[in-house]
Short mmCIF file of all heavy atoms in Angstrom, two decimals:
data_model
loop_
_atom_site.label_atom_id
_atom_site.label_comp_id
_atom_site.label_asym_id
_atom_site.label_seq_id
_atom_site.Cartn_x
_atom_site.Cartn_y
_atom_site.Cartn_z
N LEU A 1 -3.91 -22.19 2.02
CA LEU A 1 -4.57 -20.97 2.49
C LEU A 1 -3.84 -20.36 3.67
O LEU A 1 -3.96 -19.19 3.94
CB LEU A 1 -6.02 -21.29 2.90
CG LEU A 1 -6.93 -21.80 1.78
CD1 LEU A 1 -8.31 -22.13 2.34
CD2 LEU A 1 -7.03 -20.77 0.67
N SER A 2 -3.10 -21.17 4.38
CA SER A 2 -2.40 -20.68 5.57
C SER A 2 -1.07 -20.07 5.19
O SER A 2 -0.24 -20.69 4.55
CB SER A 2 -2.18 -21.83 6.57
OG SER A 2 -1.29 -21.41 7.59
N LEU A 3 -0.85 -18.85 5.62
CA LEU A 3 0.42 -18.19 5.34
C LEU A 3 1.57 -18.90 6.04
O LEU A 3 2.68 -18.95 5.53
CB LEU A 3 0.38 -16.73 5.79
CG LEU A 3 1.66 -15.96 5.55
CD1 LEU A 3 1.94 -15.83 4.07
CD2 LEU A 3 1.62 -14.62 6.21
N ALA A 4 1.30 -19.46 7.19
CA ALA A 4 2.36 -20.16 7.92
C ALA A 4 2.91 -21.31 7.10
O ALA A 4 4.06 -21.71 7.27
CB ALA A 4 1.83 -20.67 9.26
N GLU A 5 2.10 -21.86 6.19
CA GLU A 5 2.56 -22.94 5.34
C GLU A 5 3.30 -22.40 4.12
O GLU A 5 4.10 -23.09 3.51
CB GLU A 5 1.37 -23.79 4.87
CG GLU A 5 0.69 -24.55 6.01
CD GLU A 5 -0.51 -25.31 5.51
OE1 GLU A 5 -0.71 -25.34 4.27
OE2 GLU A 5 -1.24 -25.88 6.32
N ARG A 6 3.03 -21.14 3.75
CA ARG A 6 3.64 -20.59 2.55
C ARG A 6 5.02 -20.00 2.81
O ARG A 6 5.94 -20.19 2.03
CB ARG A 6 2.75 -19.48 1.96
CG ARG A 6 1.39 -19.98 1.50
CD ARG A 6 0.68 -18.88 0.74
NE ARG A 6 -0.66 -19.29 0.37
CZ ARG A 6 -1.43 -18.61 -0.48
NH1 ARG A 6 -0.97 -17.52 -1.03
NH2 ARG A 6 -2.64 -19.03 -0.76
N MET A 7 5.16 -19.25 3.87
CA MET A 7 6.42 -18.54 4.10
C MET A 7 6.90 -18.73 5.54
O MET A 7 7.15 -17.76 6.24
CB MET A 7 6.25 -17.06 3.80
CG MET A 7 5.84 -16.75 2.38
SD MET A 7 5.54 -14.98 2.11
CE MET A 7 7.20 -14.32 2.22
N PRO A 8 7.02 -19.95 6.00
CA PRO A 8 7.33 -20.16 7.41
C PRO A 8 8.68 -19.60 7.82
O PRO A 8 8.79 -18.95 8.87
CB PRO A 8 7.31 -21.69 7.55
CG PRO A 8 7.56 -22.20 6.17
CD PRO A 8 6.90 -21.21 5.26
N ARG A 9 9.69 -19.80 7.02
CA ARG A 9 11.03 -19.37 7.44
C ARG A 9 11.15 -17.84 7.49
O ARG A 9 11.70 -17.29 8.43
CB ARG A 9 12.07 -19.92 6.47
CG ARG A 9 13.50 -19.60 6.87
CD ARG A 9 14.48 -20.37 6.02
NE ARG A 9 14.34 -20.06 4.61
CZ ARG A 9 14.87 -18.98 4.02
NH1 ARG A 9 15.56 -18.13 4.74
NH2 ARG A 9 14.72 -18.78 2.73
N LEU A 10 10.61 -17.16 6.46
CA LEU A 10 10.73 -15.71 6.44
C LEU A 10 9.88 -15.06 7.52
O LEU A 10 10.26 -14.04 8.09
CB LEU A 10 10.35 -15.17 5.06
CG LEU A 10 11.28 -15.55 3.91
CD1 LEU A 10 10.87 -14.86 2.63
CD2 LEU A 10 12.72 -15.21 4.26
N ILE A 11 8.72 -15.65 7.79
CA ILE A 11 7.87 -15.09 8.84
C ILE A 11 8.55 -15.24 10.20
O ILE A 11 8.59 -14.31 11.00
CB ILE A 11 6.49 -15.77 8.85
CG1 ILE A 11 5.70 -15.36 7.61
CG2 ILE A 11 5.71 -15.41 10.11
CD1 ILE A 11 4.38 -16.04 7.48
N LEU A 12 9.09 -16.42 10.45
CA LEU A 12 9.79 -16.63 11.71
C LEU A 12 10.98 -15.70 11.85
O LEU A 12 11.24 -15.15 12.93
CB LEU A 12 10.24 -18.09 11.81
CG LEU A 12 9.13 -19.12 12.05
CD1 LEU A 12 9.72 -20.53 12.00
CD2 LEU A 12 8.45 -18.88 13.39
N GLU A 13 11.71 -15.50 10.76
CA GLU A 13 12.87 -14.62 10.82
C GLU A 13 12.46 -13.17 11.06
O GLU A 13 13.09 -12.44 11.84
CB GLU A 13 13.66 -14.72 9.52
CG GLU A 13 14.86 -13.79 9.41
CD GLU A 13 15.96 -14.09 10.42
OE1 GLU A 13 15.86 -15.13 11.11
OE2 GLU A 13 16.90 -13.29 10.51
N SER A 14 11.39 -12.72 10.40
CA SER A 14 10.94 -11.34 10.60
C SER A 14 10.44 -11.14 12.03
O SER A 14 10.67 -10.09 12.64
CB SER A 14 9.84 -10.98 9.60
OG SER A 14 8.67 -11.76 9.81
N ARG A 15 9.77 -12.15 12.59
CA ARG A 15 9.33 -12.06 13.97
C ARG A 15 10.53 -11.99 14.92
O ARG A 15 10.53 -11.26 15.90
CB ARG A 15 8.48 -13.28 14.33
CG ARG A 15 7.11 -13.31 13.68
CD ARG A 15 6.20 -12.25 14.24
NE ARG A 15 4.83 -12.46 13.79
CZ ARG A 15 3.88 -11.54 13.88
NH1 ARG A 15 4.16 -10.36 14.37
NH2 ARG A 15 2.66 -11.81 13.47
N ARG A 16 11.57 -12.78 14.60
CA ARG A 16 12.76 -12.77 15.45
C ARG A 16 13.43 -11.40 15.43
O ARG A 16 13.81 -10.86 16.46
CB ARG A 16 13.76 -13.83 14.97
CG ARG A 16 15.00 -13.96 15.85
CD ARG A 16 16.07 -14.79 15.19
NE ARG A 16 16.59 -14.14 14.00
CZ ARG A 16 17.46 -13.13 14.04
NH1 ARG A 16 17.89 -12.66 15.20
NH2 ARG A 16 17.92 -12.59 12.92
N VAL A 17 13.55 -10.83 14.23
CA VAL A 17 14.17 -9.50 14.12
C VAL A 17 13.33 -8.47 14.84
O VAL A 17 13.85 -7.63 15.57
CB VAL A 17 14.34 -9.12 12.63
CG1 VAL A 17 14.79 -7.66 12.51
CG2 VAL A 17 15.34 -10.03 11.96
N SER A 18 12.02 -8.54 14.65
CA SER A 18 11.14 -7.58 15.30
C SER A 18 11.25 -7.65 16.81
O SER A 18 11.25 -6.62 17.51
CB SER A 18 9.68 -7.84 14.87
OG SER A 18 8.80 -6.96 15.54
N SER A 19 11.38 -8.85 17.35
CA SER A 19 11.44 -9.02 18.81
C SER A 19 12.72 -8.46 19.41
O SER A 19 12.79 -8.18 20.61
CB SER A 19 11.31 -10.50 19.18
OG SER A 19 12.44 -11.23 18.76
N THR A 20 13.76 -8.27 18.57
CA THR A 20 15.02 -7.74 19.09
C THR A 20 15.07 -6.22 19.05
O THR A 20 16.00 -5.62 19.58
CB THR A 20 16.21 -8.27 18.27
OG1 THR A 20 16.15 -7.76 16.94
CG2 THR A 20 16.22 -9.79 18.24
N LEU A 21 14.10 -5.59 18.42
CA LEU A 21 14.14 -4.14 18.27
C LEU A 21 13.69 -3.44 19.55
O LEU A 21 12.85 -3.93 20.30
CB LEU A 21 13.24 -3.70 17.11
CG LEU A 21 13.60 -4.29 15.74
CD1 LEU A 21 12.60 -3.84 14.70
CD2 LEU A 21 15.00 -3.87 15.34
N ALA A 22 14.23 -2.28 19.75
CA ALA A 22 13.85 -1.46 20.92
C ALA A 22 12.61 -0.66 20.54
O ALA A 22 12.70 0.41 19.95
CB ALA A 22 14.99 -0.53 21.31
N HIS A 23 11.45 -1.21 20.85
CA HIS A 23 10.20 -0.55 20.47
C HIS A 23 10.08 0.84 21.08
O HIS A 23 9.36 1.70 20.57
CB HIS A 23 9.00 -1.40 20.89
CG HIS A 23 8.96 -2.74 20.23
ND1 HIS A 23 9.03 -2.90 18.87
CD2 HIS A 23 8.87 -3.99 20.75
CE1 HIS A 23 8.96 -4.18 18.58
NE2 HIS A 23 8.87 -4.87 19.70
N GLY A 24 10.76 1.08 22.19
CA GLY A 24 10.67 2.38 22.83
C GLY A 24 11.14 3.52 21.95
O GLY A 24 10.73 4.66 22.12
N LEU A 25 11.98 3.22 20.95
CA LEU A 25 12.46 4.27 20.06
C LEU A 25 11.35 4.83 19.22
O LEU A 25 11.45 5.92 18.68
CB LEU A 25 13.56 3.72 19.15
CG LEU A 25 14.92 3.51 19.80
CD1 LEU A 25 15.86 2.82 18.83
CD2 LEU A 25 15.51 4.85 20.23
N HIS A 26 10.28 4.06 19.07
CA HIS A 26 9.18 4.54 18.24
C HIS A 26 7.95 4.81 19.10
O HIS A 26 6.82 4.57 18.72
CB HIS A 26 8.83 3.52 17.15
CG HIS A 26 7.86 4.08 16.15
ND1 HIS A 26 8.18 5.12 15.31
CD2 HIS A 26 6.58 3.77 15.88
CE1 HIS A 26 7.14 5.42 14.56
NE2 HIS A 26 6.15 4.62 14.89
N GLY A 27 8.18 5.32 20.29
CA GLY A 27 7.05 5.67 21.13
C GLY A 27 6.26 6.81 20.55
O GLY A 27 6.74 7.55 19.71
N ARG A 28 5.05 7.00 20.99
CA ARG A 28 4.20 8.04 20.44
C ARG A 28 4.14 9.24 21.37
O ARG A 28 3.20 10.01 21.35
CB ARG A 28 2.80 7.47 20.19
CG ARG A 28 2.80 6.44 19.09
CD ARG A 28 1.54 5.61 19.10
NE ARG A 28 0.36 6.43 18.85
CZ ARG A 28 -0.87 6.00 19.05
NH1 ARG A 28 -1.08 4.80 19.49
NH2 ARG A 28 -1.89 6.79 18.82
N ARG A 29 5.17 9.42 22.19
CA ARG A 29 5.23 10.56 23.07
C ARG A 29 5.69 11.77 22.29
O ARG A 29 6.87 12.08 22.20
CB ARG A 29 6.18 10.28 24.23
CG ARG A 29 5.77 9.12 25.10
CD ARG A 29 4.61 9.49 26.00
NE ARG A 29 5.02 10.48 26.99
CZ ARG A 29 4.19 11.07 27.83
NH1 ARG A 29 2.91 10.80 27.79
NH2 ARG A 29 4.63 11.94 28.70
N ARG A 30 4.78 12.48 21.67
CA ARG A 30 5.12 13.66 20.90
C ARG A 30 3.92 14.59 20.87
O ARG A 30 2.78 14.21 21.12
CB ARG A 30 5.51 13.28 19.47
CG ARG A 30 4.51 12.38 18.78
CD ARG A 30 5.06 11.91 17.46
NE ARG A 30 4.15 10.99 16.79
CZ ARG A 30 4.14 9.67 16.99
NH1 ARG A 30 4.99 9.13 17.84
NH2 ARG A 30 3.29 8.89 16.36
N ALA A 31 4.19 15.84 20.56
CA ALA A 31 3.13 16.85 20.61
C ALA A 31 2.10 16.61 19.53
O ALA A 31 2.42 16.17 18.43
CB ALA A 31 3.75 18.24 20.43
N GLY A 32 0.82 16.94 19.85
CA GLY A 32 -0.22 16.77 18.85
C GLY A 32 -1.56 17.19 19.39
O GLY A 32 -1.67 17.95 20.35
N GLN A 33 -2.62 16.66 18.75
CA GLN A 33 -3.98 17.08 19.09
C GLN A 33 -4.72 16.06 19.94
O GLN A 33 -5.91 15.87 19.82
CB GLN A 33 -4.76 17.31 17.78
CG GLN A 33 -4.13 18.37 16.89
CD GLN A 33 -4.05 19.70 17.58
OE1 GLN A 33 -5.00 20.13 18.21
NE2 GLN A 33 -2.92 20.38 17.47
N GLY A 34 -4.02 15.37 20.82
CA GLY A 34 -4.66 14.41 21.69
C GLY A 34 -5.24 15.05 22.93
O GLY A 34 -5.39 16.26 23.03
N GLU A 35 -5.56 14.22 23.94
CA GLU A 35 -6.16 14.71 25.16
C GLU A 35 -5.24 14.58 26.36
O GLU A 35 -5.41 15.26 27.36
CB GLU A 35 -7.46 13.93 25.43
CG GLU A 35 -8.51 14.11 24.33
CD GLU A 35 -9.75 13.30 24.62
OE1 GLU A 35 -9.72 12.51 25.59
OE2 GLU A 35 -10.73 13.43 23.88
N SER A 36 -4.24 13.69 26.28
CA SER A 36 -3.37 13.43 27.42
C SER A 36 -2.27 14.49 27.51
O SER A 36 -1.61 14.81 26.51
CB SER A 36 -2.74 12.04 27.31
OG SER A 36 -3.75 11.06 27.22
N PHE A 37 -2.05 15.01 28.72
CA PHE A 37 -0.98 15.99 28.91
C PHE A 37 0.37 15.34 28.68
O PHE A 37 0.61 14.20 29.07
CB PHE A 37 -1.05 16.54 30.34
CG PHE A 37 0.16 17.36 30.71
CD1 PHE A 37 0.35 18.63 30.18
CD2 PHE A 37 1.13 16.85 31.56
CE1 PHE A 37 1.47 19.38 30.51
CE2 PHE A 37 2.25 17.59 31.89
CZ PHE A 37 2.42 18.86 31.36
N TRP A 38 1.28 16.10 28.01
CA TRP A 38 2.61 15.59 27.75
C TRP A 38 3.64 16.43 28.49
O TRP A 38 4.35 15.95 29.36
CB TRP A 38 2.89 15.62 26.25
CG TRP A 38 4.27 15.13 25.88
CD1 TRP A 38 5.07 14.29 26.60
CD2 TRP A 38 5.01 15.47 24.70
NE1 TRP A 38 6.25 14.07 25.94
CE2 TRP A 38 6.25 14.79 24.78
CE3 TRP A 38 4.75 16.28 23.59
CZ2 TRP A 38 7.22 14.89 23.78
CZ3 TRP A 38 5.71 16.37 22.60
CH2 TRP A 38 6.92 15.69 22.70
N GLN A 39 3.71 17.74 28.19
CA GLN A 39 4.73 18.58 28.80
C GLN A 39 4.37 20.05 28.65
O GLN A 39 3.50 20.42 27.87
CB GLN A 39 6.09 18.33 28.14
CG GLN A 39 6.12 18.79 26.68
CD GLN A 39 7.47 18.58 26.03
OE1 GLN A 39 8.38 18.03 26.63
NE2 GLN A 39 7.61 19.05 24.79
N PHE A 40 5.05 20.89 29.42
CA PHE A 40 5.01 22.33 29.22
C PHE A 40 6.23 22.72 28.39
O PHE A 40 7.31 22.16 28.55
CB PHE A 40 5.05 23.08 30.55
CG PHE A 40 3.79 22.95 31.37
CD1 PHE A 40 3.79 22.20 32.54
CD2 PHE A 40 2.62 23.56 30.95
CE1 PHE A 40 2.64 22.08 33.29
CE2 PHE A 40 1.45 23.44 31.71
CZ PHE A 40 1.46 22.70 32.88
N ARG A 41 6.04 23.72 27.55
CA ARG A 41 7.18 24.27 26.80
C ARG A 41 7.01 25.78 26.73
O ARG A 41 5.90 26.32 26.86
CB ARG A 41 7.24 23.67 25.40
CG ARG A 41 6.07 24.03 24.51
CD ARG A 41 6.40 23.76 23.04
NE ARG A 41 5.25 24.00 22.17
CZ ARG A 41 4.86 25.20 21.76
NH1 ARG A 41 5.52 26.29 22.17
NH2 ARG A 41 3.80 25.33 20.97
N PRO A 42 8.11 26.51 26.51
CA PRO A 42 8.03 27.97 26.43
C PRO A 42 7.14 28.44 25.29
O PRO A 42 7.12 27.83 24.22
CB PRO A 42 9.48 28.39 26.21
CG PRO A 42 10.29 27.27 26.77
CD PRO A 42 9.51 26.03 26.46
N PHE A 43 6.41 29.51 25.52
CA PHE A 43 5.57 30.13 24.50
C PHE A 43 6.45 30.73 23.41
O PHE A 43 7.50 31.32 23.70
CB PHE A 43 4.71 31.21 25.14
CG PHE A 43 3.86 32.00 24.18
CD1 PHE A 43 2.68 31.48 23.70
CD2 PHE A 43 4.25 33.28 23.79
CE1 PHE A 43 1.89 32.21 22.83
CE2 PHE A 43 3.46 34.01 22.92
CZ PHE A 43 2.28 33.48 22.44
N VAL A 44 6.04 30.57 22.15
CA VAL A 44 6.80 31.10 21.02
C VAL A 44 6.04 32.27 20.42
O VAL A 44 4.83 32.18 20.20
CB VAL A 44 7.03 30.01 19.95
CG1 VAL A 44 7.75 30.59 18.74
CG2 VAL A 44 7.80 28.85 20.53
N ALA A 45 6.74 33.37 20.18
CA ALA A 45 6.10 34.56 19.61
C ALA A 45 5.39 34.21 18.31
O ALA A 45 5.94 33.52 17.45
CB ALA A 45 7.16 35.63 19.34
#
């Protein structure tokens, strides 16, 4: 029933790869319909 017993090597490898990634590249700092201020930008006609 435990996944750790089924795929231990691949899970450990995927965790290792994930830990080396620069998570900052996928930050959520982008324009949208949230509540937190992000930035000012020029008005577009």
Side-chain angles (χ1 to χ4, degrees):
L1 297 178
S2 169
L3 180 65
E5 294 177 6
R6 296 189 184 191
M7 299 176 70
R9 183 170 60 81
L10 293 185
I11 290 176
L12 287 175
E13 177 65 8
S14 64
R15 289 290 191 195
R16 184 192 66 77
V17 172
S18 177
S19 68
T20 66
L21 301 177
H23 298 307
L25 284 174
H26 190 65
R28 293 164 63 193
R29 298 285 293 174
R30 51 188 177 272
Q33 301 300 315
E35 299 178 353
S36 303
F37 169 72
W38 179 25
Q39 66 178 4
F40 289 110
R41 65 163 175 80
F43 176 79
V44 177

